[in-house]
Amino acid sequence: MVLASAHYTERLELATALGFSSPGAGRARRLRLAEHAQGYLEQVWQEAISAAGFSSGTTDVALAVVGSQARGEAGPLSDVDLVLVHTGRVGAERLSRLADGLWYPLWDAGVRFDHSVRTLAECRKAASGDLAAAVGMLDLAPVAGDATLVAGVRQSVGVDWRAAARKRLPEVLESLEARHASFAAVSGTLEPDLKESGGGLRDLLLIDALTTAWLADPQRAALDPARTTLLDVRDALQVVTERGRATLGLQHQDAVAQLLGLQDADELLTRVVDAGRAVAHVRDTAVRSASQAQRARGLRVGPRRPRLTPLGYGLFLHDGEVVLGGSPREPGVVQLLRAATQAARRGMRIAPATAAKLASDLPRLPTPWPAPVREAFVELLASGAGLVDVWEDLDRIGVIDAWFPEWASIRSRPQRNALHRFTVDRHLIEACAACEPLLVRVARPDLLVVAAFLHDIGKVSGQRDHSVEGAPVARAICERMGFDANDAAVVERLVRHHLTLDECATRRDPDDPRTADVVIEAVAGQEQVLQLLAALTEADAVATGTGAWTSWRAGLVADLVRRVEAQLTHEVATSNPWVGWEPTAQDAQRVRDGDVVLQVERTDVRSAVLTVVDIDRPGLFADTAGLLALRRLRVVAAAITTREGLALDRWSVEAPHGELPDVTELERALRALRYGERTPLRALDVPASRAHAGSERPSDVLVRRMSSAEDAQRIEVRAPDRVGLLFDVGRALAACGVALVGASVMTSAGRAVDVFTVRAADAGTLDPQALDCALDAVRGALRSR
């Protein structure tokens, strides 16, 4: 029912007359509306106290407001929450007459209001027993009567709130979870509730309450613009609908946008979503801060010492957050990305102080990006479901726009599609997260997550075919990130055709040869690109919504992929630049004379390339990998070849937990192992079945035969990268009596993508049974760790 009362008609006229689209109009309007309500209530008060026999200067009773009117945030048609506060010294009959003199005129005027009559003690009791009442009375403001009495109530309730806030925090969090379960987040729906949705006005009250309790730091710079946006839209919605509603329905968005002077409903929703995300980010930070304060108080026994779990690269885990220990020794961008990756993998967040420190004064990235920056960024994209929250942290501190100026055009942009549940930018990050279980399916996981990250980059205002428009943008971004021309072209192709596989599978006849031809043309006849496109199709659908990737759709896509694969070659080309490397004649002679050659070329404070030349022997690969694992070195890449009885190995390693190993000591260990002394690896002589059993899911590991080359066979291994992985593979192969004659080891997007060339130990042909034994042994070793 449209409101017809003179009171609200006057407020609507006042709100409209003050305007909506000029800068600062919202705050000026709400100030004027607050003055209007104040004057109206003061008039009602004067008439009521006169009728009840009170003097105008009484000090025992007062009229106060809570809620939006108390905060100066009331909209044109907002309700009013009133409290008649008294000392208890007023007679019950006179107090009843005063209350009737207040409430009945308001009812008669059609004013929507809640009301209560309480003493100071009753206010404190109500606040202690009702969370909503407690939060509301923190903003208690006088309207008329004894202002000192109202100030005393507000002060007392505030003291009680601060004293009990830590004990009441579980109640606060339970209430928050219940509300968020009932209302979709502002950033996750096309029709947000500006008040109750996650990231809405109710969350702002929670943040204010935690700040009042000294459990969280105020973040006005982030909150003030968001608060203004939400309130401005709420005001315009009330004027458009002539109701005191807070749900921004689709049918009202065009009119609200026009009233606010915006281009269209998409611009309106983009602003609302961006404001909601800012509020949600500060809310999450405030809740973490409050929870940490509560735990710290509960565990306070003796002197407090931080409990730090080392994560490597100078990063630590502390109280559910990733923190920086001391000053970073590496470029800030790489360290920030590593902190983000560690947090995302654990479903945690970067500590705000750490994020601020690492993001402060970041250098402008050159074009192309340095390889360590690109690799660290790709590893972040592949970190799984935790990426979504961590990405929001990075976006809120402003680094995303610095790295990707194109991101601003899709940030918070709504998708008016029944299947899509996220904004464009959030959908891209969800697609990256959805790639995590699919990485084992592809030989280039780095290209998969980058394509997922960019596949909808062309969904900007006014673009019709976002795939076509976004493809060259994606290629330019890849080249800026430092990918070579071939890799950038693959990502461009994936972005251009990211809908092709699904459309062919669901809308065309699978038995028509032209259907497969369309897909073959889309992937340029390359199996690797087909694998990438199939995984991207699934990740895109999973990230779209719960009903987008059904078993029916998955089956059709899988069937088409199998048909296309049958027409393509299955060779995977290596991109390892060290394959085919040869030692100098001098080094080869030293080895034949009984020595071991080890050279270390440092690339930065934590990284180096190790060159090893030794006599080829069974288990050499596993021995070298074991020595590196014992020193907690991470193998980033390696190339292993054998020639004329020599093993020629190059290892690119990182030392996440400290300094690189001493060259002399490592060389001594290699020499001892060459002559049968196993002491250097004694710490690794733990049966794989007892070391970290069950830490891999079966879907995490892929081990398969690839192709044969003369008398040798190739085995491909894909698995999550970790220290000791290559030792496990090498030991499994050696235990089967299989000789390793070559290897190309690469780490991509946090995954090991390794190809091993093996043959029989006697240099003869490796029979199928022995190959199957080797495959099973490698699978077992990887899954038992």
Side-chain angles (χ1 to χ4, degrees), residues 452-500:
F453 174 61
L454 298 173
H455 75 274
D456 278 349
I457 197 68
K459 276 190 177 178
V460 299
S461 178
Q463 300 294 354
R464 293 185 178 181
D465 190 337
H466 70 279
S467 301
V468 173
E469 298 293 336
V473 177
R475 179 171 188 146
I477 291 174
C478 286
E479 290 174 346
R480 190 169 75 232
M481 292 173 66
F483 284 100
D484 65 31
N486 290 334
D487 288 347
V490 169
V491 173
E492 179 184 23
R493 182 172 292 275
L494 292 171
V495 172
R496 186 181 300 275
H497 294 288
H498 73 269
L499 300 176
T500 299

Side-chain angles (χ1 to χ4, degrees), residues 356-363:
K357 180 178 179 61
L358 291 175
S360 64
D361 196 29
L362 284 179

Side-chain angles (χ1 to χ4, degrees), residues 684-695 728 731 777 780-785:
L684 288 175
D685 287 339
V686 178
S689 60
R690 295 205 308 267
H692 316 292
S695 63
D728 289 339
R731 183 168 62 169
L782 291 177
R783 289 174 180 162
S784 65
R785 279 283 179 180

